[in-house]
Structure formats: C-alpha cells, structure tokens
Amino acid sequence: MRKTLRNKGFLPGFGMTMGYTIIYLSLLVLIPLSVLFLKATTMSWEQFVGTILDARVLASIRVSILSSFFAACVNAVFGVLVAWVLARYEFFGKRIIDGIVDLPFALPTAVGGIALTSIYAENGWLGQYLAEWGIKVAYTPLGIWVALTFIGLPFVVRTVQPVLQDWDLQMEEAAATLGATRWSTFIRVILPHLMPAVVTGFALAFARALGEYGSVVFISGNMPLKTEIVPLLIMTKLEQFDYAGATAIATVMLVASFVMLLIINYLQWRINKFDAAR
Amino acid sequence: MSKKANPIQAFWKQFGFIALAVAIGGCSSASNTTPSASGESKSTQAAVELLNVSYDPTREFYQDVNNEFAAEWKQKTGQTVTIKQSHGGSGKQSRSVIDGLEADVVTLALAYDIDAMAERGLIPADWQKKRPDNSSPYTSTIVFLVRKGNPKQIKDWDDLIKPGISVITPNPKTSGGARWNYLAAWGYALEKNNHDEAKAKEFVTSLFKNVPVLDSGARGSTTTFVERGIGDVLIAWENEAYLAVNELGKDKFEIVNPSLSILAEPPVTIVDKYADKHKTREVADAYLQFLYSQKGQELAAKHYYRPRNQEVLKAHTPAFPQIKLYTIDEWFGGWTKAQKDHFSDQGIFDQIYKP
C-alpha cells in the first residue's frame, strides 16, 4: 500500500519539477557562479597558481578554514544543548530565548562584529577580566573564532530542534525497561538519531563561516599572515581593481567549500544508512 | 574590456540598476529624454536629477552643498535639480561605477580610483587637467590624534617609531585614507634622509611594527582608537580628526600637527559616458564648478576640508594651521605610480610584512 503511494507525489511529474529545480538553481546560483569561473580564466595558469600560492593567501586560507572548523565544532556541541533545552522543557521566557537564537541570522553582521569587539576589547566588559588572566580576544585569532561561533549558532540549533521536538518518548521508555541508564540512553539511542541533523547543522555553520566578512573584520585586527581572512584578501584585490586575482581566490574557496560539503553530505548519507541498517 | 567580461558587465548593469532603483525608491528619472533646450526655456523643462557617487566622510558636506546648489540653480535657470548621493569606501564606489552604476559625477578620495575609470573608457585620460587645482576643489592633510594632554609626548613622525608607542592606522590595501597616511610617513622619511628610498622603507617598516590593528577602513580605525581605547596615536585625515574631537569631546583628544605632511587631494569629475547618456552635462558641470565658488569653498571649510581659495582659507586659519605640505605628484610620480610601487601585490607594503 505505502509503496504505490510513494511513487505518486503530490506535485506534477518528475520531469516538470526537476526542470523547475534546474532553472531556479541556475538563475540564482549556477549562472552567477559560472561568471566567477569565466572571470578567473582571464588569467594565465601561472598567474592563477602564483596568486593562490602567495604566502599571505595561503596563511589566510589556513586561518579561515581552521577558525571556521573550530567554530562549527563548538556550535555542534552547544547548539545541541540549546536545542535540547528548547525542545524538552517548558519554562518561563522560553519564547524569548527561542527568538534570541535567531538574532545572529537577522542582525547585519557588521553590527554583530562591532558589538563583539566592544565587549571583548581590552577595555570592554568581558575583555578587561580576560585580560587579567592574560587572554586577549579582540584582534587575535581567538576573536575570529568568537565571531564565527556567533554567526554559526542558529544553524545547528534550527536543524536539531525539529528532530528533538518530533522525538518519540517511547524509545526512551523502551530503553529504560531494558535497563539502560539515562546516559547510555542518550549516547546509544538519542544521539545516533540526532547525528544527521547535527552534521547538517555543522556543515551549514562551517560553510557560512568560511565566507563571513562583516563581523570578522572588526574583531580580527587584519594583521597580514596572522589574522587575515580569505574574504578580506578578496577585498584587497578588488581595491587594486584586480578582478581576476579576486575571482581566482574566490574560485578556490568555492571549489574547496563545495568539496567539503560533498564530503559532509557523503558522511551524512553513510550515517543514515548505518542508522537504517540497525 | 575583454570579450569574456561581457556577461559580468551585463549582470552588473542589471544589478546596479536594480540597486539604484531600490536606493531611490523607484525608477531613476535621471535619464531625462526631453531634448535639452537653451537656458531660457529651462523653466518649462522637467526636473533633472544628478547622481553624485562619493566616499565615506563627505556625507554631511555634500548634503549641505546639494541644498545650496539646488537653490542657486533654481534661481538661475528655473529648473529643479535633485542630487542623489551615494557613499562608501572610495575604491568600492569606483568599482560600482565601473560595474555600471550610472553616476553623473564622482567625488572620490584619491585620483587612482578615478584613473581606473579612465582606463575603462568612462572618462578621458586627461580628466584631471580639465578643472583647476588638479580637479580637487578642496584638500586635506594627514595629522595625528592623541589622547588628552598628549601623555606620550608625540610631536612628529619620529615619535611614532619609538618602541612602546602604539599607532593606529587602517590597512592601505583596503583603505584609500590609509594610503595617504602611509605616503605621508614615507615622504617625511624621504625628506629627512636626503631622499634615500631604503631609509624611507626602514622608517615605514618600523612604524608599521608599532601598529597592533589594521582596520579595513578609516572610520574603523577611528572607532578602534576612540571607543576601544587602543593605541597612543591615530593617524587620520584632518577632517576626520576634527570630527572626532568635536563629536567626542575636546576633553578626551587633541590634534597634533606634524612638521611635514602630504597634501591629500580628493578629486572630482564628470563621468562623461553617463552624463552624456542622461543629457545632464550642463548641470553636472555647474555642480562641480559650484564647489570652486566662494559658497562652495565656505562649505568645505565648515566641514574641515581645506579650501583652495586662499581668502577663505585665511578666514579659517586657526582651524587650518600652516603645515609644510608636498604633493603626491612631486614625490611619488602621481597616484598610478605610487599605487603600483607601494600598494600592489608584492609591492613595498607587502614586503614590510614578509616573514
């Protein structure tokens, strides 16, 4: 019975929907991005490689990827925690907290960057206490990580929350009747079910952080070889009207992001299969 | 423009148009298609619109200029003129125009950003010779802003390279203002060392060793110095320094004038391609001429830009003390050369930061 239903979607046939999907994606994503590639082809191969292998560009790629990765890792852990609290408990002010989670989405990133900088600078509210411990945040790689964590948080919370809200409590009851402790129920029953959503949230937060410019330039200090991010270097190329150089870097980042997202999607697919097989 | 760039240009043309349409809340009526008549019949002619694409700190100045000019133009010709403004980093604004934002006039921070338009055929190559004073109706210079009482006793460029002094200046790779700062320091070192380039490079290298933060724009640097309390001295445009002192309190900061600095010449020009397309050349020309007039010069002085008109300058002398100034053409061979030598990739500024 279910089988016959599955082959008949509610929308018109596969051909129509697929056609629309391709057109829609082309107009919004593929055509603008292919222009990037076209622009990059105005350089010779040597110029292209020379641009990418420049010490400052390589350093900025390292800074961008590492800080985005660590920011996404931290969000993957604490985002699940926030989603857990929002999905499983009723408490006063829950709606407000739920709204606060989305703020990094809605704020212009520059506003977020300026706010974070003023709090974490050495004369800021938090910065002054951290400075006593010898921890500098603003104008260091740590500051970049703080900004990227800030913008990535909603992604993980919003992907994990619906899964937790639809979670069937009978699973936990079943685990309890079979003698599982709460901890092992969480680790062996709940977490595997959450994993696909967590990985999706992680991927989104990571990809978003790679391209983040507005909030980071205020808190990073933009020191060459130390705290320059890739988008800033793209801007410096544009300042010199070096469109080709800018698009060369952008192209490399684009391909790198795409490959990383593919890998993450593949992992997710593996997790899903593994989950289904159990 | 190579053939390959056509799709991008077309795309930006569309996009720039949309952005413009959104920015002014409807379709631009600047492309006035009524045939331009002679001065007498202007009153029967439809209202005209100009787009002035400028850089960041000129916002308040051009608001005043636009009001005054519109009143004057109305009185002279009977025609109503509305001037739209657009502001942003000088380089970014120049790219917008190159990518199809149809500015009638541009008023930017440095000639290099307008040279880039000439290279792409929007304006003639000799644009800077078309108006008096290098096409710069107002000038500025580079000064220091220090904390009240000047606790570190900073008097001149030499004090900036002392160990333990923290200097705030933006990144010359992303900020036009920062390039003026850098060249001012370089020029001072040249003058001091009988124009020995190696010595100048040494000087500027030690100066940037004292810079803890390179903000991406001039306003960002001002914020870092003023709000975050970082640094002992901010290198800044004279007009920005005045704004900082006046807006944030004379009890917190003071301005220090170095013994020698650079004459910063923010240039203005008509964008021929678009002014002709919109048939706005006449009014655009009058608009830029207005900047040279007595009234325009007064307004420049009011907003702490140095007027070219000597009488107006004298009238505001306490605000604009005598500093020995040199121009970029004298010592650096013009903007395009300076840009190539110092700020291009692998240029001298990049070498300063080589590990």
Side-chain angles (χ1 to χ4, degrees):
Chain A
M1 185 71 207
R2 291 208 64 143
K3 245 192 163 128
T4 51
L5 259 183
R6 193 179 305 162
N7 292 340
K8 293 197 177 113
F10 293 106
L11 287 168
F14 170 76
M16 285 273 274
T17 44
M18 187 66 188
Y20 273 113
T21 304
I22 296 289
I23 289 174
Y24 186 73
L25 273 181
S26 299
L27 285 178
L28 284 175
V29 182
L30 299 175
I31 294 174
L33 292 185
S34 63
V35 170
L36 259 189
F37 282 97
L38 275 181
K39 195 80 197 174
T41 53
T42 57
M43 327 173 71
S44 69
W45 181 246
E46 286 77 28
Q47 283 173 310
F48 182 85
V49 172
T51 303
I52 301 304
L53 293 185
D54 177 65
R56 275 175 74 190
V57 176
L58 288 179
S60 74
I61 291 176
R62 200 182 61 238
V63 167
S64 269
I65 288 181
L66 283 179
S67 36
S68 300
F69 180 80
F70 286 126
C73 285
V74 168
N75 277 328
V77 176
F78 287 91
V80 170
L81 203 70
V82 173
W84 180 270
V85 169
L86 287 176
R88 311 253 322 198
Y89 303 105
E90 280 304 325
F91 52 92
F92 179 75
K94 180 173 160 177
R95 293 273 164 278
I96 295 173
I97 294 198
D98 207 18
I100 288 174
V101 168
D102 277 336
L103 270 186
F105 267 153
L107 272 183
T109 49
V111 175
I114 291 170
L116 288 170
T117 312
S118 59
I119 286 172
Y120 285 104
E122 277 181 53
N123 65 351
W125 288 349
L126 285 171
Q128 58 191 359
Y129 301 116
L130 290 171
E132 282 172 22
W133 292 83
I135 303 169
K136 280 189 182 176
V137 179
Y139 315 121
T140 65
L142 199 58
I144 301 179
W145 171 80
V146 167
L148 295 179
T149 308
F150 166 82
I151 56 143
L153 176 73
F155 290 95
V156 179
V157 178
R158 291 296 176 240
T159 48
V160 173
Q161 208 177 344
V163 181
L164 279 172
Q165 266 159 350
D166 296 344
W167 173 248
D168 190 352
L169 283 176
Q170 284 180 343
M171 297 269 234
E172 276 164 78
E173 286 159 10
T177 58
L178 294 170
T181 59
R182 292 180 123 190
W183 181 242
S184 83
T185 305
F186 179 73
I187 294 292
R188 297 173 59 182
V189 180
I190 302 177
L191 208 54
H193 259 274
L194 282 185
M195 255 354 245
V198 174
V199 172
T200 304
F202 174 89
L204 288 172
F206 179 63
R208 175 74 183 75
L210 280 180
E212 176 59 21
Y213 176 78
S215 59
V216 179
V217 284
F218 292 99
I219 202 168
S220 68
N222 306 326
M223 299 307 281
L225 300 166
K226 292 196 196 98
T227 56
E228 280 184 323
I229 52 169
V230 176
L232 180 83
L233 279 199
I234 293 176
M235 290 306 285
T236 67
K237 299 268 186 230
L238 288 176
E239 261 328 282
Q240 303 161 51
F241 301 96
D242 178 8
Y243 285 73
T247 44
I249 302 176
T251 307
V252 167
M253 282 311 273
L254 191 71
V255 172
S257 313
F258 187 66
V259 168
M260 284 187 275
L261 289 174
L262 271 185
I263 292 171
I264 291 170
N265 276 333
Y266 172 76
L267 283 178
Q268 210 184 341
W269 176 75
R270 284 290 304 270
I271 293 170
N272 275 337
K273 271 192 70 157
F274 175 72
D275 214 35
R278 289 200 319 170
Chain B
M1 266 289 171
S2 69
K3 251 204 154 103
K4 279 197 173 113
N6 278 345
I8 211 171
Q9 272 214 306
F11 174 73
W12 278 114
K13 268 211 173 91
Q14 289 299 320
F15 191 79
F17 174 73
I18 290 165
L20 187 62
V22 170
I24 62 186
C27 279
S28 154
S29 58
S31 43
N32 198 339
T33 48
T34 28
S36 192
S38 64
E40 286 79 30
S41 60
K42 273 264 165 45
S43 51
T44 58
Q45 209 194 44
V48 66
E49 204 172 77
L50 282 183
L51 175 62
N52 174 6
V53 169
S54 192
Y55 63 113
D56 259 330
T58 57
R59 192 165 316 197
E60 297 80 11
F61 166 57
Y62 276 111
Q63 268 162 4
D64 280 3
V65 167
N66 295 349
N67 292 338
E68 292 275 348
F69 173 74
E72 200 174 87
W73 185 253
K74 180 98 186 161
Q75 201 183 0
K76 260 189 198 156
T77 66
Q79 188 185 33
T80 309
V81 57
T82 335
I83 298 132
K84 304 282 178 209
Q85 289 169 257
S86 158
H87 295 272
S90 189
K92 185 179 124 301
Q93 293 294 81
S94 168
R95 284 197 304 281
S96 304
V97 175
I98 287 169
D99 290 334
L101 177 64
E102 303 199 349
D104 301 280
V105 295
V106 287
T107 51
L108 296 177
L110 35 109
Y112 173 72
D113 289 331
I114 299 186
D115 285 337
M117 291 177 202
E119 256 174 58
R120 286 157 182 81
L122 295 174
I123 50 176
D126 63 345
W127 64 272
Q128 206 162 0
K129 300 279 171 283
K130 298 211 170 210
R131 280 171 205 284
D133 304 320
N134 261 341
S135 289
S136 307
Y138 43 85
T139 65
S140 191
T141 184
I142 302 301
V143 298
F144 306 151
L145 194 67
V146 296
R147 307 200 181 272
K148 191 70 196 174
N150 201 352
K152 302 267 174 158
Q153 287 303 307
I154 290 159
K155 298 267 189 290
D156 209 345
W157 291 101
D158 284 330
D159 300 322
L160 303 191
I161 62 166
K162 287 182 178 156
I165 297 284
S166 163
V167 182
I168 304 295
T169 180
N171 187 339
K173 302 281 282 193
T174 50
S175 155
R179 281 173 233 166
W180 287 116
N181 297 355
Y182 168 106
L183 293 173
W186 188 277
Y188 171 83
L190 279 184
E191 178 79 359
K192 215 181 141 215
N193 299 302
N194 302 322
H195 288 250
D196 178 346
E197 297 274 343
K199 283 261 174 32
K201 185 173 171 182
E202 225 170 88
F203 181 88
V204 172
T205 303
S206 17
L207 193 156
F208 274 92
K209 282 216 164 50
N210 282 346
V211 178
V213 178
L214 286 169
D215 281 291
S216 57
R219 280 276 157 102
S221 278
T222 308
T223 308
T224 298
F225 182 75
V226 168
E227 309 277 333
R228 316 264 173 270
I230 292 178
D232 303 310
V233 52
L234 170 76
I235 312 179
W237 292 79
E238 187 172 47
N239 55 308
E240 283 277 298
Y242 269 111
L243 280 183
V245 167
N246 290 341
E247 281 180 21
L248 305 158
K250 292 183 168 64
D251 53 346
K252 291 205 188 88
F253 305 100
E254 50 190 72
I255 293 174
V256 171
N257 295 301
S259 63
L260 175 76
S261 195
I262 196 165
L263 180 74
E265 299 175 299
V268 304
T269 185
I270 292 182
V271 185
D272 296 64
K273 186 177 166 186
Y274 298 129
D276 290 342
K277 182 178 165 185
H278 305 157
K279 304 202 167 42
T280 48
R281 177 178 283 279
E282 196 184 346
V283 59
D285 189 62
Y287 179 67
L288 294 184
Q289 278 317 112
F290 176 81
L291 297 172
Y292 289 88
S293 72
Q294 181 81 14
K295 216 179 245 172
Q297 294 285 292
E298 291 279 357
L299 286 176
K302 181 186 149 193
H303 291 275
Y304 305 109
Y305 282 99
R306 294 189 168 216
R308 287 281 191 183
N309 180 320
Q310 288 306 310
E311 282 161 30
V312 180
L313 183 67
K314 277 204 185 75
H316 289 268
T317 288
F320 302 120
Q322 284 282 326
I323 305 176
K324 195 173 157 205
L325 300 172
Y326 58 89
T327 69
I328 188 156
D329 297 332
E330 283 167 4
W331 285 11
F332 294 94
W335 255 113
T336 302
K337 186 172 183 308
Q339 174 76 29
K340 195 169 148 295
D341 293 348
H342 292 270
F343 310 119
S344 63
D345 286 345
Q346 323 302 343
I348 295 170
F349 179 74
D350 279 4
Q351 289 162 28
I352 284 177
Y353 279 101
K354 275 275 178 286

Short mmCIF file of all heavy atoms in Angstrom, two decimals, chain A residues 228-251:
data_model
loop_
_atom_site.label_atom_id
_atom_site.label_comp_id
_atom_site.label_asym_id
_atom_site.label_seq_id
_atom_site.Cartn_x
_atom_site.Cartn_y
_atom_site.Cartn_z
N GLU A 228 44.42 37.60 8.95
CA GLU A 228 43.67 37.98 7.76
C GLU A 228 42.82 36.80 7.32
O GLU A 228 43.30 35.67 7.29
CB GLU A 228 44.63 38.34 6.61
CG GLU A 228 45.20 39.74 6.72
CD GLU A 228 46.06 40.10 5.54
OE1 GLU A 228 46.79 39.21 5.04
OE2 GLU A 228 46.04 41.26 5.10
N ILE A 229 41.56 37.07 6.98
CA ILE A 229 40.71 36.00 6.48
C ILE A 229 40.61 36.10 4.96
O ILE A 229 40.92 37.15 4.38
CB ILE A 229 39.29 36.06 7.10
CG1 ILE A 229 38.71 37.47 6.93
CG2 ILE A 229 39.29 35.60 8.53
CD1 ILE A 229 37.25 37.55 7.26
N VAL A 230 40.19 35.03 4.33
CA VAL A 230 40.14 34.99 2.86
C VAL A 230 39.28 36.12 2.27
O VAL A 230 39.72 36.80 1.35
CB VAL A 230 39.67 33.61 2.36
CG1 VAL A 230 39.51 33.62 0.85
CG2 VAL A 230 40.65 32.55 2.77
N PRO A 231 38.06 36.33 2.79
CA PRO A 231 37.25 37.40 2.19
C PRO A 231 37.94 38.77 2.23
O PRO A 231 37.77 39.57 1.31
CB PRO A 231 35.99 37.40 3.05
CG PRO A 231 35.89 36.03 3.59
CD PRO A 231 37.30 35.59 3.81
N LEU A 232 38.77 39.01 3.26
CA LEU A 232 39.47 40.30 3.32
C LEU A 232 40.49 40.39 2.18
O LEU A 232 40.64 41.44 1.56
CB LEU A 232 40.19 40.45 4.67
CG LEU A 232 40.94 41.77 4.79
CD1 LEU A 232 40.00 42.88 5.22
CD2 LEU A 232 42.10 41.69 5.74
N LEU A 233 41.18 39.31 1.91
CA LEU A 233 42.16 39.33 0.82
C LEU A 233 41.47 39.53 -0.52
O LEU A 233 42.00 40.19 -1.41
CB LEU A 233 42.97 38.03 0.80
CG LEU A 233 44.11 37.97 1.80
CD1 LEU A 233 45.10 36.90 1.43
CD2 LEU A 233 44.84 39.30 1.90
N ILE A 234 40.26 38.96 -0.67
CA ILE A 234 39.50 39.18 -1.90
C ILE A 234 39.20 40.68 -2.01
O ILE A 234 39.34 41.27 -3.08
CB ILE A 234 38.19 38.36 -1.88
CG1 ILE A 234 38.54 36.86 -1.95
CG2 ILE A 234 37.29 38.74 -3.04
CD1 ILE A 234 37.36 35.93 -1.86
N MET A 235 38.84 41.30 -0.90
CA MET A 235 38.58 42.74 -0.91
C MET A 235 39.84 43.53 -1.28
O MET A 235 39.76 44.50 -2.02
CB MET A 235 38.08 43.22 0.47
CG MET A 235 36.69 42.76 0.84
SD MET A 235 35.43 43.14 -0.39
CE MET A 235 35.23 44.89 -0.10
N THR A 236 40.99 43.13 -0.76
CA THR A 236 42.21 43.89 -1.09
C THR A 236 42.52 43.79 -2.58
O THR A 236 43.02 44.73 -3.17
CB THR A 236 43.44 43.42 -0.28
OG1 THR A 236 43.79 42.10 -0.69
CG2 THR A 236 43.21 43.45 1.21
N LYS A 237 42.24 42.65 -3.17
CA LYS A 237 42.47 42.52 -4.62
C LYS A 237 41.52 43.46 -5.37
O LYS A 237 41.91 44.10 -6.35
CB LYS A 237 42.20 41.09 -5.08
CG LYS A 237 43.09 40.06 -4.43
CD LYS A 237 44.33 39.81 -5.25
CE LYS A 237 45.13 38.68 -4.65
NZ LYS A 237 46.54 39.00 -4.47
N LEU A 238 40.27 43.50 -4.92
CA LEU A 238 39.30 44.37 -5.60
C LEU A 238 39.71 45.83 -5.47
O LEU A 238 39.50 46.63 -6.38
CB LEU A 238 37.91 44.16 -5.02
CG LEU A 238 37.23 42.84 -5.38
CD1 LEU A 238 35.91 42.70 -4.66
CD2 LEU A 238 37.00 42.74 -6.88
N GLU A 239 40.27 46.20 -4.32
CA GLU A 239 40.73 47.58 -4.10
C GLU A 239 41.75 47.98 -5.17
O GLU A 239 41.89 49.14 -5.48
CB GLU A 239 41.42 47.71 -2.76
CG GLU A 239 40.67 48.26 -1.58
CD GLU A 239 39.61 49.30 -1.83
OE1 GLU A 239 39.98 50.46 -2.06
OE2 GLU A 239 38.42 48.99 -1.76
N GLN A 240 42.51 47.00 -5.66
CA GLN A 240 43.50 47.30 -6.71
C GLN A 240 42.92 47.08 -8.09
O GLN A 240 43.66 47.01 -9.06
CB GLN A 240 44.72 46.39 -6.55
CG GLN A 240 45.39 46.46 -5.21
CD GLN A 240 46.26 45.24 -4.97
OE1 GLN A 240 47.08 44.89 -5.81
NE2 GLN A 240 46.08 44.58 -3.85
N PHE A 241 41.61 46.92 -8.16
CA PHE A 241 40.93 46.66 -9.43
C PHE A 241 41.46 45.39 -10.08
O PHE A 241 41.46 45.24 -11.28
CB PHE A 241 41.06 47.86 -10.38
CG PHE A 241 40.48 49.09 -9.77
CD1 PHE A 241 41.28 50.01 -9.12
CD2 PHE A 241 39.11 49.31 -9.81
CE1 PHE A 241 40.73 51.13 -8.52
CE2 PHE A 241 38.56 50.43 -9.21
CZ PHE A 241 39.37 51.35 -8.58
N ASP A 242 41.95 44.47 -9.23
CA ASP A 242 42.47 43.20 -9.73
C ASP A 242 41.33 42.18 -9.66
O ASP A 242 41.29 41.32 -8.79
CB ASP A 242 43.66 42.76 -8.87
CG ASP A 242 44.22 41.42 -9.29
OD1 ASP A 242 43.78 40.90 -10.34
OD2 ASP A 242 45.08 40.88 -8.58
N TYR A 243 40.38 42.32 -10.59
CA TYR A 243 39.20 41.45 -10.58
C TYR A 243 39.61 39.98 -10.73
O TYR A 243 39.08 39.10 -10.07
CB TYR A 243 38.25 41.82 -11.71
CG TYR A 243 37.47 43.07 -11.46
CD1 TYR A 243 38.07 44.32 -11.52
CD2 TYR A 243 36.10 43.02 -11.14
CE1 TYR A 243 37.36 45.48 -11.29
CE2 TYR A 243 35.38 44.17 -10.91
CZ TYR A 243 36.01 45.40 -10.99
OH TYR A 243 35.30 46.53 -10.75
N ALA A 244 40.57 39.73 -11.64
CA ALA A 244 40.96 38.35 -11.92
C ALA A 244 41.55 37.70 -10.66
O ALA A 244 41.19 36.58 -10.32
CB ALA A 244 41.96 38.32 -13.06
N GLY A 245 42.43 38.43 -9.98
CA GLY A 245 43.04 37.88 -8.76
C GLY A 245 41.99 37.58 -7.71
O GLY A 245 42.03 36.54 -7.05
N ALA A 246 41.04 38.51 -7.56
CA ALA A 246 39.98 38.32 -6.57
C ALA A 246 39.15 37.09 -6.90
O ALA A 246 38.87 36.26 -6.02
CB ALA A 246 39.08 39.56 -6.52
N THR A 247 38.81 36.94 -8.17
CA THR A 247 37.98 35.79 -8.53
C THR A 247 38.77 34.49 -8.45
O THR A 247 38.20 33.44 -8.19
CB THR A 247 37.37 35.93 -9.94
OG1 THR A 247 38.38 36.39 -10.82
CG2 THR A 247 36.21 36.87 -9.95
N ALA A 248 40.11 34.57 -8.65
CA ALA A 248 40.92 33.36 -8.52
C ALA A 248 40.80 32.82 -7.10
O ALA A 248 40.55 31.62 -6.89
CB ALA A 248 42.38 33.66 -8.86
N ILE A 249 40.97 33.70 -6.11
CA ILE A 249 40.86 33.27 -4.72
C ILE A 249 39.45 32.78 -4.43
O ILE A 249 39.24 31.73 -3.80
CB ILE A 249 41.22 34.41 -3.75
CG1 ILE A 249 42.64 34.91 -4.04
CG2 ILE A 249 41.13 33.96 -2.32
CD1 ILE A 249 43.04 36.09 -3.19
N ALA A 250 38.47 33.53 -4.94
CA ALA A 250 37.08 33.16 -4.69
C ALA A 250 36.78 31.78 -5.28
O ALA A 250 36.10 30.96 -4.66
CB ALA A 250 36.14 34.20 -5.30
N THR A 251 37.32 31.52 -6.48
CA THR A 251 37.09 30.23 -7.13
C THR A 251 37.66 29.09 -6.30
O THR A 251 37.00 28.07 -6.10
CB THR A 251 37.75 30.22 -8.53
OG1 THR A 251 37.30 31.36 -9.25
CG2 THR A 251 37.39 28.98 -9.29
#
